[in-house]
Amino acid sequence: MNPAKITAADIRGMKNRRPIAALTAYDFPMTKLLDEAGIPLLLVGDSLGMVLLGYPDTTHVTLAEMEHHVRAAARAKPRALLAADMPFQSYQSPAQAVATARRLVAAGAEAVKAEGGRAILPQVQAILADGIPFIGHLGMLPQSVLEEKGYHVKGKTDAERLNLLADAEALAQAGAFAVVLELVTPSVAREITQKIPIPTLGVGTSPHCDGEILVVTDLLGLSPGDIPRHVKKHSDFKQPMRAAVVEWKQGVEGR
Ligand code: KIV
């Protein structure tokens, strides 16, 4: 094993010491590349449903699909901590949550992430009691997109602000080592970041978080749909890839 392997405690310890740049990774070559670039936290996110598998949202992603991608990413043996998303409806009770988390760990994940705060606290406590490091996910919850009829910014009302704060505090108290804040208003993200002792990782949230996590294909301009507005700076690798294919095709056809 790599002696400098990054652990959940290392990520937790980065709070107030250095900003955390985290990315998703879904397969062997990308995990290797992002690890070589020095990204300390890689997430096999269920966003793979949209950006790799062609689903309309993350609710279609199965545990078997997550395991398949976690195995591929883990084969890269990254120095980075490799976390995995628990897919939709795979953590509806504490027993189911532990069984799911164990399967992801058996596939090679070193931590798991699930969406929700106090609503899934018994599941979070059971996962942590089983010795599996846990990352929370608050704010806009992609697995609730159908119930919520879209992706909406959270924290705009005082009730939402108080709920987010209470959820973040509950997750930190339970022992989560970091929490993703997705589409949370900048002022609420700042308040949560100041109040909880674990790192906050913003997605389209604000520079006030302890770090940022992005879908890697959004960063590289390779996602099949539109790049979300919150991805301010990204590359466009689709164009050079298309050009390389066309050039090769013309070479073959012109023989
Ligand atoms: O699935 C995912 O990619 C995520 C990140 C955006 C945090 O949950």
PDB file of all heavy atoms in Angstrom, residues 126-160:
ATOM      1  N   ALA A 126     -25.426   3.972  12.023  1.00  0.00           N
ATOM      2  CA  ALA A 126     -25.167   2.536  11.851  1.00  0.00           C
ATOM      3  C   ALA A 126     -23.939   2.322  10.960  1.00  0.00           C
ATOM      4  O   ALA A 126     -23.101   1.447  11.228  1.00  0.00           O
ATOM      5  CB  ALA A 126     -26.388   1.850  11.238  1.00  0.00           C
ATOM      6  N   ILE A 127     -23.812   3.115   9.902  1.00  0.00           N
ATOM      7  CA  ILE A 127     -22.652   2.992   8.997  1.00  0.00           C
ATOM      8  C   ILE A 127     -21.369   3.307   9.770  1.00  0.00           C
ATOM      9  O   ILE A 127     -20.365   2.587   9.681  1.00  0.00           O
ATOM     10  CB  ILE A 127     -22.821   3.959   7.789  1.00  0.00           C
ATOM     11  CG1 ILE A 127     -23.947   3.468   6.880  1.00  0.00           C
ATOM     12  CG2 ILE A 127     -21.505   4.108   7.012  1.00  0.00           C
ATOM     13  CD1 ILE A 127     -24.409   4.501   5.861  1.00  0.00           C
ATOM     14  N   LEU A 128     -21.413   4.383  10.549  1.00  0.00           N
ATOM     15  CA  LEU A 128     -20.219   4.787  11.316  1.00  0.00           C
ATOM     16  C   LEU A 128     -19.898   3.756  12.398  1.00  0.00           C
ATOM     17  O   LEU A 128     -18.727   3.441  12.634  1.00  0.00           O
ATOM     18  CB  LEU A 128     -20.422   6.185  11.906  1.00  0.00           C
ATOM     19  CG  LEU A 128     -20.326   7.304  10.849  1.00  0.00           C
ATOM     20  CD1 LEU A 128     -20.971   8.590  11.344  1.00  0.00           C
ATOM     21  CD2 LEU A 128     -18.875   7.554  10.458  1.00  0.00           C
ATOM     22  N   ALA A 129     -20.934   3.210  13.017  1.00  0.00           N
ATOM     23  CA  ALA A 129     -20.700   2.180  14.048  1.00  0.00           C
ATOM     24  C   ALA A 129     -20.065   0.940  13.433  1.00  0.00           C
ATOM     25  O   ALA A 129     -19.386   0.167  14.105  1.00  0.00           O
ATOM     26  CB  ALA A 129     -22.014   1.823  14.734  1.00  0.00           C
ATOM     27  N   ASP A 130     -20.283   0.756  12.130  1.00  0.00           N
ATOM     28  CA  ASP A 130     -19.690  -0.386  11.421  1.00  0.00           C
ATOM     29  C   ASP A 130     -18.251  -0.079  11.000  1.00  0.00           C
ATOM     30  O   ASP A 130     -17.600  -0.902  10.356  1.00  0.00           O
ATOM     31  CB  ASP A 130     -20.543  -0.712  10.186  1.00  0.00           C
ATOM     32  CG  ASP A 130     -20.429  -2.171   9.785  1.00  0.00           C
ATOM     33  OD1 ASP A 130     -20.567  -3.041  10.660  1.00  0.00           O
ATOM     34  OD2 ASP A 130     -20.156  -2.447   8.600  1.00  0.00           O
ATOM     35  N   GLY A 131     -17.778   1.118  11.317  1.00  0.00           N
ATOM     36  CA  GLY A 131     -16.378   1.473  11.025  1.00  0.00           C
ATOM     37  C   GLY A 131     -16.154   2.020   9.630  1.00  0.00           C
ATOM     38  O   GLY A 131     -15.019   2.070   9.153  1.00  0.00           O
ATOM     39  N   ILE A 132     -17.225   2.440   8.953  1.00  0.00           N
ATOM     40  CA  ILE A 132     -17.083   2.938   7.575  1.00  0.00           C
ATOM     41  C   ILE A 132     -17.173   4.463   7.585  1.00  0.00           C
ATOM     42  O   ILE A 132     -18.185   5.032   8.029  1.00  0.00           O
ATOM     43  CB  ILE A 132     -18.178   2.322   6.661  1.00  0.00           C
ATOM     44  CG1 ILE A 132     -18.028   0.799   6.655  1.00  0.00           C
ATOM     45  CG2 ILE A 132     -18.082   2.915   5.247  1.00  0.00           C
ATOM     46  CD1 ILE A 132     -19.136   0.053   5.948  1.00  0.00           C
ATOM     47  N   PRO A 133     -16.116   5.158   7.131  1.00  0.00           N
ATOM     48  CA  PRO A 133     -16.150   6.623   7.111  1.00  0.00           C
ATOM     49  C   PRO A 133     -17.286   7.153   6.224  1.00  0.00           C
ATOM     50  O   PRO A 133     -17.583   6.579   5.171  1.00  0.00           O
ATOM     51  CB  PRO A 133     -14.775   6.999   6.547  1.00  0.00           C
ATOM     52  CG  PRO A 133     -13.900   5.818   6.812  1.00  0.00           C
ATOM     53  CD  PRO A 133     -14.811   4.626   6.676  1.00  0.00           C
ATOM     54  N   PHE A 134     -17.880   8.258   6.672  1.00  0.00           N
ATOM     55  CA  PHE A 134     -19.100   8.754   6.021  1.00  0.00           C
ATOM     56  C   PHE A 134     -18.989  10.237   5.666  1.00  0.00           C
ATOM     57  O   PHE A 134     -18.521  11.051   6.474  1.00  0.00           O
ATOM     58  CB  PHE A 134     -20.295   8.544   6.970  1.00  0.00           C
ATOM     59  CG  PHE A 134     -21.604   8.961   6.356  1.00  0.00           C
ATOM     60  CD1 PHE A 134     -22.292   8.107   5.502  1.00  0.00           C
ATOM     61  CD2 PHE A 134     -22.132  10.225   6.598  1.00  0.00           C
ATOM     62  CE1 PHE A 134     -23.489   8.497   4.905  1.00  0.00           C
ATOM     63  CE2 PHE A 134     -23.328  10.624   6.002  1.00  0.00           C
ATOM     64  CZ  PHE A 134     -24.003   9.750   5.160  1.00  0.00           C
ATOM     65  N   ILE A 135     -19.456  10.581   4.464  1.00  0.00           N
ATOM     66  CA  ILE A 135     -19.570  11.981   4.010  1.00  0.00           C
ATOM     67  C   ILE A 135     -21.059  12.301   3.874  1.00  0.00           C
ATOM     68  O   ILE A 135     -21.809  11.536   3.245  1.00  0.00           O
ATOM     69  CB  ILE A 135     -18.924  12.192   2.612  1.00  0.00           C
ATOM     70  CG1 ILE A 135     -17.482  11.681   2.579  1.00  0.00           C
ATOM     71  CG2 ILE A 135     -18.987  13.659   2.199  1.00  0.00           C
ATOM     72  CD1 ILE A 135     -16.820  11.791   1.192  1.00  0.00           C
ATOM     73  N   GLY A 136     -21.478  13.433   4.446  1.00  0.00           N
ATOM     74  CA  GLY A 136     -22.870  13.859   4.312  1.00  0.00           C
ATOM     75  C   GLY A 136     -23.079  14.632   3.012  1.00  0.00           C
ATOM     76  O   GLY A 136     -22.132  15.031   2.338  1.00  0.00           O
ATOM     77  N   HIS A 137     -24.341  14.830   2.676  1.00  0.00           N
ATOM     78  CA  HIS A 137     -24.691  15.600   1.462  1.00  0.00           C
ATOM     79  C   HIS A 137     -25.997  16.334   1.772  1.00  0.00           C
ATOM     80  O   HIS A 137     -27.031  15.706   1.978  1.00  0.00           O
ATOM     81  CB  HIS A 137     -24.857  14.640   0.279  1.00  0.00           C
ATOM     82  CG  HIS A 137     -25.033  15.319  -1.046  1.00  0.00           C
ATOM     83  ND1 HIS A 137     -24.535  14.804  -2.227  1.00  0.00           N
ATOM     84  CD2 HIS A 137     -25.650  16.483  -1.410  1.00  0.00           C
ATOM     85  CE1 HIS A 137     -24.825  15.610  -3.234  1.00  0.00           C
ATOM     86  NE2 HIS A 137     -25.522  16.633  -2.763  1.00  0.00           N
ATOM     87  N   LEU A 138     -25.909  17.667   1.844  1.00  0.00           N
ATOM     88  CA  LEU A 138     -27.067  18.504   2.196  1.00  0.00           C
ATOM     89  C   LEU A 138     -27.304  19.563   1.121  1.00  0.00           C
ATOM     90  O   LEU A 138     -26.461  19.803   0.271  1.00  0.00           O
ATOM     91  CB  LEU A 138     -26.829  19.197   3.544  1.00  0.00           C
ATOM     92  CG  LEU A 138     -26.629  18.294   4.758  1.00  0.00           C
ATOM     93  CD1 LEU A 138     -26.243  19.134   5.986  1.00  0.00           C
ATOM     94  CD2 LEU A 138     -27.895  17.482   5.047  1.00  0.00           C
ATOM     95  N   GLY A 139     -28.468  20.211   1.236  1.00  0.00           N
ATOM     96  CA  GLY A 139     -28.828  21.253   0.273  1.00  0.00           C
ATOM     97  C   GLY A 139     -29.714  20.632  -0.786  1.00  0.00           C
ATOM     98  O   GLY A 139     -30.632  19.870  -0.473  1.00  0.00           O
ATOM     99  N   MET A 140     -29.415  20.909  -2.030  1.00  0.00           N
ATOM    100  CA  MET A 140     -30.165  20.268  -3.105  1.00  0.00           C
ATOM    101  C   MET A 140     -29.719  18.804  -3.151  1.00  0.00           C
ATOM    102  O   MET A 140     -28.525  18.506  -3.209  1.00  0.00           O
ATOM    103  CB  MET A 140     -29.850  20.986  -4.422  1.00  0.00           C
ATOM    104  CG  MET A 140     -30.761  20.605  -5.552  1.00  0.00           C
ATOM    105  SD  MET A 140     -30.362  19.045  -6.291  1.00  0.00           S
ATOM    106  CE  MET A 140     -28.861  19.460  -7.152  1.00  0.00           C
ATOM    107  N   LEU A 141     -30.687  17.902  -3.054  1.00  0.00           N
ATOM    108  CA  LEU A 141     -30.370  16.478  -3.022  1.00  0.00           C
ATOM    109  C   LEU A 141     -30.787  15.862  -4.362  1.00  0.00           C
ATOM    110  O   LEU A 141     -31.990  15.694  -4.617  1.00  0.00           O
ATOM    111  CB  LEU A 141     -31.093  15.788  -1.857  1.00  0.00           C
ATOM    112  CG  LEU A 141     -30.847  16.422  -0.469  1.00  0.00           C
ATOM    113  CD1 LEU A 141     -31.616  15.666   0.613  1.00  0.00           C
ATOM    114  CD2 LEU A 141     -29.347  16.454  -0.142  1.00  0.00           C
ATOM    115  N   PRO A 142     -29.827  15.540  -5.216  1.00  0.00           N
ATOM    116  CA  PRO A 142     -30.187  15.060  -6.562  1.00  0.00           C
ATOM    117  C   PRO A 142     -31.110  13.835  -6.557  1.00  0.00           C
ATOM    118  O   PRO A 142     -31.931  13.684  -7.465  1.00  0.00           O
ATOM    119  CB  PRO A 142     -28.835  14.735  -7.202  1.00  0.00           C
ATOM    120  CG  PRO A 142     -27.862  15.590  -6.471  1.00  0.00           C
ATOM    121  CD  PRO A 142     -28.375  15.693  -5.063  1.00  0.00           C
ATOM    122  N   GLN A 143     -31.001  12.975  -5.533  1.00  0.00           N
ATOM    123  CA  GLN A 143     -31.863  11.787  -5.518  1.00  0.00           C
ATOM    124  C   GLN A 143     -33.322  12.141  -5.220  1.00  0.00           C
ATOM    125  O   GLN A 143     -34.206  11.300  -5.319  1.00  0.00           O
ATOM    126  CB  GLN A 143     -31.338  10.761  -4.504  1.00  0.00           C
ATOM    127  CG  GLN A 143     -30.004  10.143  -4.938  1.00  0.00           C
ATOM    128  CD  GLN A 143     -29.395   9.203  -3.908  1.00  0.00           C
ATOM    129  OE1 GLN A 143     -30.010   8.885  -2.889  1.00  0.00           O
ATOM    130  NE2 GLN A 143     -28.181   8.756  -4.169  1.00  0.00           N
ATOM    131  N   SER A 144     -33.576  13.423  -4.815  1.00  0.00           N
ATOM    132  CA  SER A 144     -34.962  13.867  -4.547  1.00  0.00           C
ATOM    133  C   SER A 144     -35.509  14.717  -5.690  1.00  0.00           C
ATOM    134  O   SER A 144     -36.522  15.383  -5.531  1.00  0.00           O
ATOM    135  CB  SER A 144     -35.008  14.685  -3.249  1.00  0.00           C
ATOM    136  OG  SER A 144     -34.466  13.962  -2.192  1.00  0.00           O
ATOM    137  N   VAL A 145     -34.827  14.683  -6.838  1.00  0.00           N
ATOM    138  CA  VAL A 145     -35.196  15.581  -7.939  1.00  0.00           C
ATOM    139  C   VAL A 145     -36.643  15.365  -8.417  1.00  0.00           C
ATOM    140  O   VAL A 145     -37.314  16.329  -8.804  1.00  0.00           O
ATOM    141  CB  VAL A 145     -34.196  15.448  -9.124  1.00  0.00           C
ATOM    142  CG1 VAL A 145     -34.215  14.060  -9.730  1.00  0.00           C
ATOM    143  CG2 VAL A 145     -34.461  16.500 -10.182  1.00  0.00           C
ATOM    144  N   LEU A 146     -37.132  14.135  -8.351  1.00  0.00           N
ATOM    145  CA  LEU A 146     -38.481  13.889  -8.857  1.00  0.00           C
ATOM    146  C   LEU A 146     -39.520  14.464  -7.889  1.00  0.00           C
ATOM    147  O   LEU A 146     -40.434  15.184  -8.295  1.00  0.00           O
ATOM    148  CB  LEU A 146     -38.711  12.391  -9.102  1.00  0.00           C
ATOM    149  CG  LEU A 146     -37.731  11.758 -10.112  1.00  0.00           C
ATOM    150  CD1 LEU A 146     -37.990  10.278 -10.297  1.00  0.00           C
ATOM    151  CD2 LEU A 146     -37.809  12.467 -11.470  1.00  0.00           C
ATOM    152  N   GLU A 147     -39.332  14.174  -6.563  1.00  0.00           N
ATOM    153  CA  GLU A 147     -40.248  14.747  -5.556  1.00  0.00           C
ATOM    154  C   GLU A 147     -40.218  16.266  -5.586  1.00  0.00           C
ATOM    155  O   GLU A 147     -41.228  16.920  -5.408  1.00  0.00           O
ATOM    156  CB  GLU A 147     -39.751  14.418  -4.149  1.00  0.00           C
ATOM    157  CG  GLU A 147     -39.964  13.024  -3.654  1.00  0.00           C
ATOM    158  CD  GLU A 147     -38.931  12.743  -2.565  1.00  0.00           C
ATOM    159  OE1 GLU A 147     -39.009  13.359  -1.469  1.00  0.00           O
ATOM    160  OE2 GLU A 147     -38.054  11.923  -2.862  1.00  0.00           O
ATOM    161  N   GLU A 148     -39.027  16.830  -5.765  1.00  0.00           N
ATOM    162  CA  GLU A 148     -38.867  18.296  -5.685  1.00  0.00           C
ATOM    163  C   GLU A 148     -39.101  18.987  -7.022  1.00  0.00           C
ATOM    164  O   GLU A 148     -39.011  20.209  -7.107  1.00  0.00           O
ATOM    165  CB  GLU A 148     -37.470  18.639  -5.150  1.00  0.00           C
ATOM    166  CG  GLU A 148     -37.240  18.064  -3.785  1.00  0.00           C
ATOM    167  CD  GLU A 148     -36.436  18.983  -2.890  1.00  0.00           C
ATOM    168  OE1 GLU A 148     -35.833  19.941  -3.390  1.00  0.00           O
ATOM    169  OE2 GLU A 148     -36.429  18.725  -1.676  1.00  0.00           O
ATOM    170  N   LYS A 149     -39.369  18.188  -8.031  1.00  0.00           N
ATOM    171  CA  LYS A 149     -39.637  18.710  -9.390  1.00  0.00           C
ATOM    172  C   LYS A 149     -38.540  19.675  -9.864  1.00  0.00           C
ATOM    173  O   LYS A 149     -38.810  20.814 -10.243  1.00  0.00           O
ATOM    174  CB  LYS A 149     -41.011  19.391  -9.445  1.00  0.00           C
ATOM    175  CG  LYS A 149     -42.156  18.453  -9.099  1.00  0.00           C
ATOM    176  CD  LYS A 149     -43.506  19.073  -9.338  1.00  0.00           C
ATOM    177  CE  LYS A 149     -44.659  18.107  -9.180  1.00  0.00           C
ATOM    178  NZ  LYS A 149     -44.618  17.200  -8.038  1.00  0.00           N
ATOM    179  N   GLY A 150     -37.313  19.226  -9.784  1.00  0.00           N
ATOM    180  CA  GLY A 150     -36.209  20.044 -10.303  1.00  0.00           C
ATOM    181  C   GLY A 150     -35.124  20.253  -9.272  1.00  0.00           C
ATOM    182  O   GLY A 150     -35.211  19.773  -8.141  1.00  0.00           O
ATOM    183  N   TYR A 151     -34.094  20.975  -9.682  1.00  0.00           N
ATOM    184  CA  TYR A 151     -32.930  21.240  -8.842  1.00  0.00           C
ATOM    185  C   TYR A 151     -33.026  22.677  -8.338  1.00  0.00           C
ATOM    186  O   TYR A 151     -32.915  23.620  -9.129  1.00  0.00           O
ATOM    187  CB  TYR A 151     -31.639  21.043  -9.654  1.00  0.00           C
ATOM    188  CG  TYR A 151     -31.484  19.635 -10.225  1.00  0.00           C
ATOM    189  CD1 TYR A 151     -31.710  19.384 -11.573  1.00  0.00           C
ATOM    190  CD2 TYR A 151     -31.119  18.571  -9.411  1.00  0.00           C
ATOM    191  CE1 TYR A 151     -31.576  18.099 -12.097  1.00  0.00           C
ATOM    192  CE2 TYR A 151     -30.982  17.283  -9.918  1.00  0.00           C
ATOM    193  CZ  TYR A 151     -31.213  17.054 -11.259  1.00  0.00           C
ATOM    194  OH  TYR A 151     -31.082  15.777 -11.767  1.00  0.00           O
ATOM    195  N   HIS A 152     -33.301  22.868  -7.042  1.00  0.00           N
ATOM    196  CA  HIS A 152     -33.536  24.212  -6.510  1.00  0.00           C
ATOM    197  C   HIS A 152     -32.484  24.592  -5.471  1.00  0.00           C
ATOM    198  O   HIS A 152     -32.047  23.743  -4.681  1.00  0.00           O
ATOM    199  CB  HIS A 152     -34.925  24.290  -5.849  1.00  0.00           C
ATOM    200  CG  HIS A 152     -36.020  23.836  -6.765  1.00  0.00           C
ATOM    201  ND1 HIS A 152     -36.379  24.524  -7.894  1.00  0.00           N
ATOM    202  CD2 HIS A 152     -36.823  22.727  -6.718  1.00  0.00           C
ATOM    203  CE1 HIS A 152     -37.355  23.871  -8.511  1.00  0.00           C
ATOM    204  NE2 HIS A 152     -37.642  22.779  -7.826  1.00  0.00           N
ATOM    205  N   VAL A 153     -32.144  25.886  -5.460  1.00  0.00           N
ATOM    206  CA  VAL A 153     -31.198  26.409  -4.461  1.00  0.00           C
ATOM    207  C   VAL A 153     -31.854  26.311  -3.086  1.00  0.00           C
ATOM    208  O   VAL A 153     -33.049  26.593  -2.923  1.00  0.00           O
ATOM    209  CB  VAL A 153     -30.832  27.871  -4.799  1.00  0.00           C
ATOM    210  CG1 VAL A 153     -29.980  28.493  -3.697  1.00  0.00           C
ATOM    211  CG2 VAL A 153     -30.090  27.940  -6.136  1.00  0.00           C
ATOM    212  N   LYS A 154     -31.056  25.925  -2.069  1.00  0.00           N
ATOM    213  CA  LYS A 154     -31.574  25.767  -0.704  1.00  0.00           C
ATOM    214  C   LYS A 154     -30.950  26.804   0.236  1.00  0.00           C
ATOM    215  O   LYS A 154     -29.803  27.196   0.056  1.00  0.00           O
ATOM    216  CB  LYS A 154     -31.263  24.367  -0.171  1.00  0.00           C
ATOM    217  CG  LYS A 154     -32.008  23.266  -0.902  1.00  0.00           C
ATOM    218  CD  LYS A 154     -33.504  23.417  -0.701  1.00  0.00           C
ATOM    219  CE  LYS A 154     -34.349  22.600  -1.639  1.00  0.00           C
ATOM    220  NZ  LYS A 154     -34.469  21.226  -1.303  1.00  0.00           N
ATOM    221  N   GLY A 155     -31.747  27.212   1.240  1.00  0.00           N
ATOM    222  CA  GLY A 155     -31.250  28.159   2.238  1.00  0.00           C
ATOM    223  C   GLY A 155     -31.806  29.558   2.041  1.00  0.00           C
ATOM    224  O   GLY A 155     -31.339  30.504   2.675  1.00  0.00           O
ATOM    225  N   LYS A 156     -32.812  29.663   1.160  1.00  0.00           N
ATOM    226  CA  LYS A 156     -33.334  31.003   0.867  1.00  0.00           C
ATOM    227  C   LYS A 156     -34.259  31.514   1.968  1.00  0.00           C
ATOM    228  O   LYS A 156     -34.418  32.709   2.135  1.00  0.00           O
ATOM    229  CB  LYS A 156     -34.098  30.977  -0.453  1.00  0.00           C
ATOM    230  CG  LYS A 156     -33.201  30.869  -1.687  1.00  0.00           C
ATOM    231  CD  LYS A 156     -34.087  30.848  -2.903  1.00  0.00           C
ATOM    232  CE  LYS A 156     -33.320  31.017  -4.183  1.00  0.00           C
ATOM    233  NZ  LYS A 156     -34.194  30.754  -5.334  1.00  0.00           N
ATOM    234  N   THR A 157     -34.921  30.619   2.686  1.00  0.00           N
ATOM    235  CA  THR A 157     -35.819  31.060   3.756  1.00  0.00           C
ATOM    236  C   THR A 157     -35.171  30.753   5.105  1.00  0.00           C
ATOM    237  O   THR A 157     -34.252  29.920   5.190  1.00  0.00           O
ATOM    238  CB  THR A 157     -37.171  30.307   3.698  1.00  0.00           C
ATOM    239  OG1 THR A 157     -36.885  28.916   3.948  1.00  0.00           O
ATOM    240  CG2 THR A 157     -37.838  30.453   2.340  1.00  0.00           C
ATOM    241  N   ASP A 158     -35.687  31.394   6.163  1.00  0.00           N
ATOM    242  CA  ASP A 158     -35.100  31.151   7.475  1.00  0.00           C
ATOM    243  C   ASP A 158     -35.331  29.700   7.922  1.00  0.00           C
ATOM    244  O   ASP A 158     -34.470  29.098   8.566  1.00  0.00           O
ATOM    245  CB  ASP A 158     -35.643  32.154   8.494  1.00  0.00           C
ATOM    246  CG  ASP A 158     -34.580  32.413   9.556  1.00  0.00           C
ATOM    247  OD1 ASP A 158     -33.393  32.562   9.179  1.00  0.00           O
ATOM    248  OD2 ASP A 158     -34.924  32.393  10.757  1.00  0.00           O
ATOM    249  N   ALA A 159     -36.493  29.150   7.545  1.00  0.00           N
ATOM    250  CA  ALA A 159     -36.775  27.757   7.924  1.00  0.00           C
ATOM    251  C   ALA A 159     -35.756  26.829   7.269  1.00  0.00           C
ATOM    252  O   ALA A 159     -35.214  25.903   7.901  1.00  0.00           O
ATOM    253  CB  ALA A 159     -38.184  27.387   7.491  1.00  0.00           C
ATOM    254  N   GLU A 160     -35.452  27.062   5.983  1.00  0.00           N
ATOM    255  CA  GLU A 160     -34.466  26.221   5.280  1.00  0.00           C
ATOM    256  C   GLU A 160     -33.085  26.387   5.906  1.00  0.00           C
ATOM    257  O   GLU A 160     -32.338  25.418   6.070  1.00  0.00           O
ATOM    258  CB  GLU A 160     -34.395  26.607   3.797  1.00  0.00           C
ATOM    259  CG  GLU A 160     -35.486  25.980   2.955  1.00  0.00           C
ATOM    260  CD  GLU A 160     -35.371  26.305   1.476  1.00  0.00           C
ATOM    261  OE1 GLU A 160     -34.426  27.010   1.061  1.00  0.00           O
ATOM    262  OE2 GLU A 160     -36.262  25.866   0.734  1.00  0.00           O
TER     263      GLU A 160
END
